[in-house]
């Protein structure tokens, strides 16, 4: 395995567009990622991160942005790109290894047939995504330990967080989203989401411009659950009717006033009494 260097990052961006719009896009994604890294205390200098790479636009974008920050001496950690081949029929096994080797990026490819487990456990017609995600997460944690990593890094972005927030509110009866930084149950690894402030549409444009070798997430015949599809459409409709609403929603999630909510576990309403006259 080889470690990441500036020359390898230069190889990643060797064929990138040179136009002003792409430069603005790249700068915005770098700034938003740096903001998340700093605000949520994600970086411990000298740490080793396992960067989950699925072959989709978000994880490709995540890896590219992190490599870009490293090349600028703004991310003092070691990166290991990791793909978990879960045994989906038709999965192109050569795409990711070929791409990562061409960049000289340190990486690990592992095969685990979780697809068969999901097919056995999930009823016909139901979405595979929930169980598939849990099995993938468990394996990523295991690999991270084996590689001496302190963190598993995922490519979830702003829109994923907002969709999860709405799903929990409308269907789960609670206010919760995807945390940008999470300690696992065992307490030995953190899960990081550096793209928490990045918009999905920006990541799509970045992916298109960079011409990443995308692997579709429909190889198993499964699709996102109906609830998430509905939340995505709801957000898209709101943003179209009132541009900037997604940003305001993200600001709201990060600006909570417990005394103006209804959770007595977070605020002691019983202690509120008028001052003695």
């Amino acid at each position: 395995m080889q470690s990441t260097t500036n020359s390898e990052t230069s190889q990643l961006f060797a064929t990138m567009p040179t136009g002003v719009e792409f430069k603005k896009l790249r700068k915005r994604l770098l700034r938003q990622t740096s903001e998340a890294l700093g605000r949520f205390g994600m970086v411990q200098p000298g740490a080793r991160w396992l960067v989950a790479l699925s072959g989709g636009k978000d994880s490709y974008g995540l890896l590219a942005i992190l490599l870009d920050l490293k090349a600028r001496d703004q991310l003092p950690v070691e990166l290991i790109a990791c793909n978990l081949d879960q045994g989906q029929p038709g999965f192109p096994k050569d795409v990711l290894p070929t791409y990562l080797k061409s960049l000289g990026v340190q990486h690990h490819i592992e095969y685990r047939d979780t697809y068969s487990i999901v097919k056995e456990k999930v009823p016909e017609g139901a979405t595979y995504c929930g169980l598939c995600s849990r099995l993938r997460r468990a394996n990523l944690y295991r690999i991270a330990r084996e590689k001496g990593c302190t963190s598993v890094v995922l490519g979830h972005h702003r829109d994923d967080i907002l969709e999860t927030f709405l799903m929990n509110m409308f269907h789960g009866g609670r206010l919760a989203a995807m945390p940008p930084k999470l300690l696992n149950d065992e307490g030995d690894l953190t899960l990081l989401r550096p793209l928490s402030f990045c918009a999905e549409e920006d990541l799509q444009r970045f992916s298109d411009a960079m011409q990443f070798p995308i692997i579709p997430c429909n190889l198993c015949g499964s699709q996102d659950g109906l609830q998430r599809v509905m939340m995505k459409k709801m957000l898209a409709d709101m943003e179209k009717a009132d541009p900037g609403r997604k940003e305001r929603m993200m600001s709201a999630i990060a600006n909570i006033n417990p005394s103006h909510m209804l959770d007595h576990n977070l605020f002691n309403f019983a202690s509120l009494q008028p001052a003695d006259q």
Side-chain angles (χ1 to χ4, degrees), residues 217-235:
C217 189
N218 58 4
L219 297 170
C220 60
S222 181
Q223 298 177 343
D224 284 340
L226 178 61
Q227 293 177 0
R228 184 167 292 276
V229 172
M230 291 173 61
M231 297 305 104
K232 184 181 288 290
K233 184 179 185 304
M234 180 185 299
L235 284 168

Side-chain angles (χ1 to χ4, degrees), residues 38-206:
R39 181 181 296 187
F40 302 111
M42 296 185 187
V43 179
Q44 297 295 323
R48 178 179 290 180
W49 288 3
L50 191 79
V51 182
L53 190 64
S54 67
K57 71 179 190 311
D58 302 330
S59 62
Y60 273 125
L62 170 67
L63 179 62
I65 293 166
L66 295 180
L67 290 172
D68 204 355
L69 288 172
K70 271 188 67 66
R72 297 165 187 262
D73 294 324
Q74 297 177 20
L75 185 61
V77 303
E78 181 180 355
L79 303 177
I80 303 176
C82 177
N83 173 251
L84 180 66
D85 180 348
Q86 296 179 264
Q88 296 100 326
F91 185 82
K93 297 179 181 295
D94 61 320
V95 171
L96 285 169
T98 300
Y99 177 73
L100 294 169
K101 287 177 183 176
S102 72
L103 300 177
V105 172
Q106 185 175 181
H107 64 277
H108 174 77
I109 308 294
E110 177 149 338
Y111 176 80
R112 292 279 168 168
D113 185 11
T114 62
Y115 173 77
S116 297
I117 298 174
V118 172
K119 286 285 289 183
E120 178 184 348
K121 299 294 184 182
V122 177
E124 187 71 26
T127 180
Y128 300 154
C129 298
L131 179 57
C132 181
S133 177
R134 289 192 295 274
L135 292 172
R136 181 170 62 249
R137 183 80 55 84
N139 277 285
L140 288 173
Y141 282 156
R142 174 185 55 78
I143 297 168
R145 295 185 184 100
E146 292 173 356
K147 298 296 180 183
C149 297
T150 56
S151 300
V152 172
V153 190
L154 303 180
H156 294 126
H157 46 66
R158 180 197 70 180
D159 296 68
D160 290 322
I161 291 173
L162 290 176
E163 290 163 16
T164 301
F165 176 76
L166 293 179
M167 287 175 65
N168 283 327
M169 181 169 64
F170 292 139
H171 301 285
R174 60 194 180 101
L175 293 182
M178 288 178 172
K181 181 179 181 181
L182 177 71
L183 187 65
N184 69 337
D185 292 339
E186 292 78 10
D188 64 334
L189 294 167
T190 53
L191 186 145
L192 307 177
R193 296 183 171 100
L195 303 184
S196 290
F197 295 141
C198 299
E200 182 175 18
E201 60 189 36
D202 279 350
L203 291 166
Q204 182 65 67
R205 285 197 291 266
F206 186 68

Side-chain angles (χ1 to χ4, degrees), residues 1-73:
M1 291 185 181
Q2 302 176 21
S3 59
T4 304
T5 66
N6 286 13
S7 62
E8 290 157 358
T9 307
S10 297
Q11 179 66 26
L12 171 64
F13 288 95
T15 59
M16 72 177 182
T18 58
V20 174
E21 288 304 314
F22 179 79
K23 291 180 179 178
K24 289 181 178 178
L25 173 62
R26 182 182 180 186
K27 183 177 180 180
R28 181 164 61 251
L29 291 171
L30 288 170
R31 173 178 52 79
Q32 291 170 337
T33 302
S34 293
E35 181 181 355
L37 292 173
R39 181 181 296 187
F40 302 111
M42 296 185 187
V43 179
Q44 297 295 323
R48 178 179 290 180
W49 288 3
L50 191 79
V51 182
L53 190 64
S54 67
K57 71 179 190 311
D58 302 330
S59 62
Y60 273 125
L62 170 67
L63 179 62
I65 293 166
L66 295 180
L67 290 172
D68 204 355
L69 288 172
K70 271 188 67 66
R72 297 165 187 262
D73 294 324

